[in-house]
Amino acid sequence: MPLPSGLCQFFFILLYRINSTIYLCTLMKKIFLITLALTVIACKKQEQENKIKVATWLVGSWENKSDEGILSESWSKSNDSTYVGKAFYIKSNDTLHHESMTLLQKGSDLVYMATVKGQNNDEPVTFLLTKSDAKELVFENPNHDYPQKIRYQQITTGSIVVTISGKQEGKVTSETYPMSKHN
């Protein structure tokens, strides 16, 4: 027995709407997944771009006075991805050591570069950030002669401790420099 044309038209419209609804649900799922993926990528990129912000407490002038001399280190923010620093060791008005440092965000890496006049053909030595939290930065370069590790630790807002360590002439050694903020 043939179905009346009105009933066929009803089933056709019903099937069309069900199919459209399924298509829309599938399309909405795809749009949702694409939006979610783009959000995750954007958040990761922002996290990478902001990695240098863990070092904001380092900005300023720091000093260690002892009987052997004065060690001073100063850091300033050059731009959103670069901090620049200088370190001097002065004894009896003679500068015994001068070092230029750069803290640079390179993609997802935070890089510490140190240049000491008369060493390494006056080229910077690069150390990669291996550990960081709100009060500590650790940079390492296992291929450098000495130091292989540089650690900055914030003790209070007015004091830090800088530790350099590694193997020197076959012996494990480290040097620690407590420093106070200096205006």
Side-chain angles (χ1 to χ4, degrees):
M1 177 171 154
L3 293 172
S5 69
L7 192 56
C8 286
Q9 190 176 12
F10 169 75
F11 280 120
F12 177 75
I13 292 171
L14 181 64
L15 285 173
Y16 175 77
R17 287 189 175 169
I18 289 171
N19 189 36
S20 295
T21 303
I22 291 170
Y23 174 76
L24 282 175
C25 287
T26 304
L27 182 62
M28 289 174 67
K29 285 179 185 176
K30 287 179 182 176
I31 290 171
F32 173 76
L33 290 174
I34 290 169
T35 303
L36 181 64
L38 290 173
T39 302
V40 168
I41 290 168
C43 289
K44 285 286 186 188
K45 184 174 181 182
Q46 184 177 8
E47 180 182 301
Q48 290 176 357
E49 290 172 359
N50 294 331
K51 201 170 196 178
I52 198 165
K53 287 186 178 181
V54 299
T56 56
W57 52 265
L58 193 56
V59 173
S61 296
W62 304 91
E63 193 172 78
N64 173 311
K65 290 182 182 180
S66 69
D67 293 338
E68 289 105 34
I70 299 171
L71 174 64
S72 65
E73 186 167 310
S74 62
W75 287 91
S76 62
K77 181 178 177 180
S78 179
N79 58 47
D80 288 343
S81 63
T82 308
Y83 292 174
V84 292
K86 298 266 185 214
F88 297 92
Y89 181 69
I90 300 168
K91 183 175 183 177
S92 302
N93 295 328
D94 287 329
T95 302
L96 301 178
H97 178 83
H98 173 245
E99 186 171 343
S100 299
M101 297 95 58
T102 303
L103 190 55
L104 178 65
Q105 176 89 34
K106 279 187 170 181
S108 63
D109 291 326
L110 195 55
V111 178
Y112 180 100
M113 295 183 295
T115 306
V116 179
K117 189 149 180 75
Q119 292 181 13
N120 196 45
N121 296 321
D122 294 335
E123 294 293 322
V125 177
T126 301
F127 296 80
L128 292 177
L129 181 73
T130 57
K131 180 181 175 191
S132 70
D133 61 34
K135 296 187 176 214
E136 181 181 42
L137 303 167
V138 178
F139 301 92
E140 295 186 60
N141 179 343
N143 299 318
H144 185 51
D145 56 357
Y146 183 82
Q148 288 91 43
K149 184 187 284 189
I150 301 170
R151 178 180 180 224
Y152 285 86
Q153 184 179 20
Q154 182 185 36
I155 306 304
T156 67
T157 56
S159 65
I160 63 173
V161 173
V162 181
T163 305
I164 62 172
S165 60
K167 281 190 175 182
Q168 189 174 27
E169 297 175 5
K171 295 180 184 179
V172 176
T173 185
S174 70
E175 301 168 46
T176 301
Y177 304 98
M179 302 181 91
S180 300
K181 199 142 199 176
H182 170 74
N183 293 331

